Amino acid sequence: QRLEVRGGQMPKDEADDLEWISWSPENVASWVDGLLGLGCGEPFRRFGIDGPTLMGLTDVELKDPLGIQDSLHRIKLLGHIRAFQLKSAMAVRIAKQRHPSAGRSERPPR
C-alpha cells in the first residue's frame, strides 16, 4: 500500500509513519487499549477522538475531559504522540527530498 503524494507516491515505510492520519475513533481507542490496557481507550471512543485529533491532545485534555488520571499513562501517551509527530515530519521531509516538486504550486511565474 502506498500513500499518494503530489508528483508521485510515498514508499510504504514512509506512509506507515503517517497511518494515524486515517485513524478513526475506534482505531485510536484500540491503540490506546493496546498501549495502556483494555478499557483505557473507551474515553477516546466516547469523545470521538480520531487520529488527527489525537495528535493535538495535551496533558490537560488527557486528564480532563478524557479522564486519564494516572500521570504515567499521560506521559506514555504524550511520548508516543510526540514520536508519531516526529516520524511524520521526517517522512514529509524525506518525501520532499525525493520529490522536490511535491506540494508546490503549478502556477506559472508572473
Side-chain angles (χ1 to χ4, degrees), residues 6-7 10 15 21 25-26 41 44 51 58 60 68 90 104:
R6 188 177 203 151
M10 186 177 290
I21 291 171
E26 183 61 39
F44 295 81
T58 65
V60 170
I68 309 296
M90 186 180 301
R104 287 192 193 152

Side-chain angles (χ1 to χ4, degrees), residues 39-91:
C40 291
E42 182 54 36
F44 295 81
R45 188 178 292 108
R46 189 172 55 251
F47 281 93
I49 305 296
D50 59 10
T53 305
L54 175 70
M55 294 302 115
L57 293 177
T58 65
D59 184 70
V60 170
E61 293 160 336
L62 289 172
K63 188 173 182 181
D64 183 39
L66 290 171
I68 309 296
Q69 297 302 315
D70 186 327
S71 63
L72 292 178
H73 280 181
R74 293 193 312 274
I75 290 168
K76 188 173 188 176
L77 279 168
L78 290 170
H80 281 269
I81 289 168
R82 183 70 180 138
F84 279 138
Q85 292 167 336
L86 292 171
K87 288 172 71 176
S88 296
M90 186 180 301

